[in-house]
Amino acid sequence: LESAVLLLQRIIRGRAYQNQMFEGKEKRLDLINELRAAERYSQTATTVEEKKYVDQLREKAFDGVLESIQGGIISETLDQLSKEL
């Protein structure tokens, strides 16, 4: 019985983690699509100017992803700290 309970707990935790990953992906879907578009555009870019523009777009999207992740981590950390105090 105890092993069945432990198995059920692991399954529930795993499913909760899957849900968190899905929600995170959905929140950042615009950024993901922007990176994909930049990649598609870079494959068709022919001039040096177009390639520079694509690099700027890619870097801007990448910065957006990093800022979003950092914001989430900082928010969670501050929330945990406020609950501890």
Side-chain angles (χ1 to χ4, degrees):
L1 182 63
E2 186 176 326
S3 63
V5 169
L6 293 175
L7 176 63
L8 184 59
Q9 285 177 338
R10 282 196 321 220
I11 291 171
I12 291 172
R13 283 188 196 114
R15 187 65 179 155
Y17 185 71
Q18 282 180 329
N19 287 340
Q20 285 177 335
M21 293 295 290
F22 181 76
E23 288 172 7
K25 184 190 89 162
E26 290 297 311
K27 277 197 234 178
R28 293 168 182 87
L29 194 57
D30 290 336
L31 295 170
I32 292 168
N33 288 333
E34 191 174 337
L35 286 170
R36 287 180 179 160
E39 183 63 30
R40 284 192 304 271
Y41 190 69
S42 71
Q43 292 172 352
T44 60
T46 55
T47 66
V48 174
E49 185 177 311
E50 286 178 343
K51 290 180 181 185
K52 284 182 183 179
Y53 180 70
V54 168
D55 289 340
Q56 289 173 350
L57 283 177
R58 186 179 293 135
E59 189 163 327
K60 182 180 174 185
F62 187 71
D63 288 344
V65 170
L66 287 178
E67 288 173 3
S68 176
I69 292 170
Q70 287 173 344
I73 291 171
I74 291 170
S75 174
E76 289 176 15
T77 304
L78 291 174
D79 184 48
Q80 287 178 349
L81 289 174
S82 70
K83 288 178 183 177
E84 288 178 5
L85 298 176

